[in-house]
Amino acid sequence: TKNIVILISGSGSNMAAIVQAAQQQDWHQAFGASISAVISNRPGAAGLEVAQSLGVATQVLDHRVFETRVAFDAALMQGIDRYQPALVVLAGFMRILTPGFVSHYAGRLINIHPSLLPAFTGLNTHQRAIDAGCAEAGCTVHQVTAELDHGPILAQAAVPVLPDDTADTLAARVLAQEHRLYPQAVRGWLQDQP
Ligand code: GAR
């Protein structure tokens, strides 16, 4: 089985979109793939209950109890590797990963970022796109490499920035595209696997 582990920190709406696509499109039958677990670094992440309600096992690994980023990432790797994943999916996972973590999952670690990369790496992407006067904003699915938000791009979706947009209205428009794009990109990744 091609196990998929999804990492979240918050509401987990992208995670839910991927799990629902996997269930509705029967990725087990189609690709021998299974969403094995959802892991959150935040004990209170709303996405944990969403995952449970979708029948996916959850795990919490609170980053605050670890002294260092390296120690947290080592524990996270242990938690993930129980599933021997073919793919690790970052879905609103709001932690910077160490180079050791990234290299351990080289070629099987992907992320979604709420901008049209290479524009607007980092945080507050929607406000920054509005402030810059961009006509378009969007989201990017990319492979994760050591440099934050810089890996090879797998898929992008664009939306218009409207004259009276706030960061919130723009974020909602982009998020709707994320929910379409991310499951499609994971599916594409599975299709390309031997
Ligand atoms: C999404 O918009 C995602 O692109 C973004 O956080 C949100 C998570 O929402 N990710 C980042 O900003 C990564 N730096 P979700 O928890 O409902 O999927």
Side-chain angles (χ1 to χ4, degrees):
T1 310
K2 289 169 184 137
N3 290 322
I4 300 173
V5 172
I6 306 180
L7 306 189
I8 65 168
S9 299
S11 54
S13 68
N14 278 289
M15 172 277 297
I18 293 166
V19 171
Q20 282 166 333
Q23 292 175 349
Q24 282 158 16
Q25 300 165 13
D26 201 346
W27 287 359
H28 190 73
Q29 171 75 25
F31 311 113
S34 157
I35 314 286
S36 306
V38 168
I39 304 178
S40 171
N41 67 301
R42 290 191 186 281
L48 287 166
E49 284 186 12
V50 177
Q52 283 156 18
S53 74
L54 290 167
V56 180
T58 59
Q59 220 186 101
V60 172
L61 205 66
D62 187 345
H63 64 275
R64 293 169 303 184
V65 310
F66 295 89
E67 291 275 338
T68 64
R69 232 177 246 287
V70 168
F72 171 67
D73 278 11
L76 183 56
M77 282 189 254
Q78 264 188 19
I80 295 170
D81 285 348
R82 287 165 43 187
Y83 301 99
Q84 304 199 315
L87 183 65
V88 177
V89 174
L90 307 180
F93 187 67
M94 303 305 278
R95 301 295 302 166
I96 291 174
L97 297 164
T98 57
F101 183 98
V102 172
S103 69
H104 182 73
Y105 298 106
R108 53 186 176 130
L109 181 59
I110 64 175
N111 180 45
I112 190 159
H113 181 77
S115 78
L116 294 172
L117 290 174
F120 308 119
T121 62
L123 298 175
N124 301 318
T125 52
H126 303 301
Q127 189 59 54
R128 287 157 64 208
I130 291 168
D131 293 346
C134 296
E136 281 195 321
C139 51
T140 304
V141 177
H142 65 95
Q143 283 189 49
V144 176
T145 56
E147 196 182 351
L148 185 72
D149 300 332
H150 271 83
I153 290 173
L154 300 174
Q156 282 187 314
V159 301
V161 179
L162 302 179
D164 50 4
D165 262 335
T166 63
D168 284 350
T169 60
L170 180 55
R173 192 175 308 121
V174 171
L175 192 62
Q177 291 305 307
E178 295 187 47
H179 296 162
R180 191 183 56 76
L181 189 72
Y182 212 0
Q184 189 180 298
V186 174
R187 188 194 163 91
W189 188 92
L190 289 168
Q191 250 156 2
D192 289 348
Q193 295 307 297

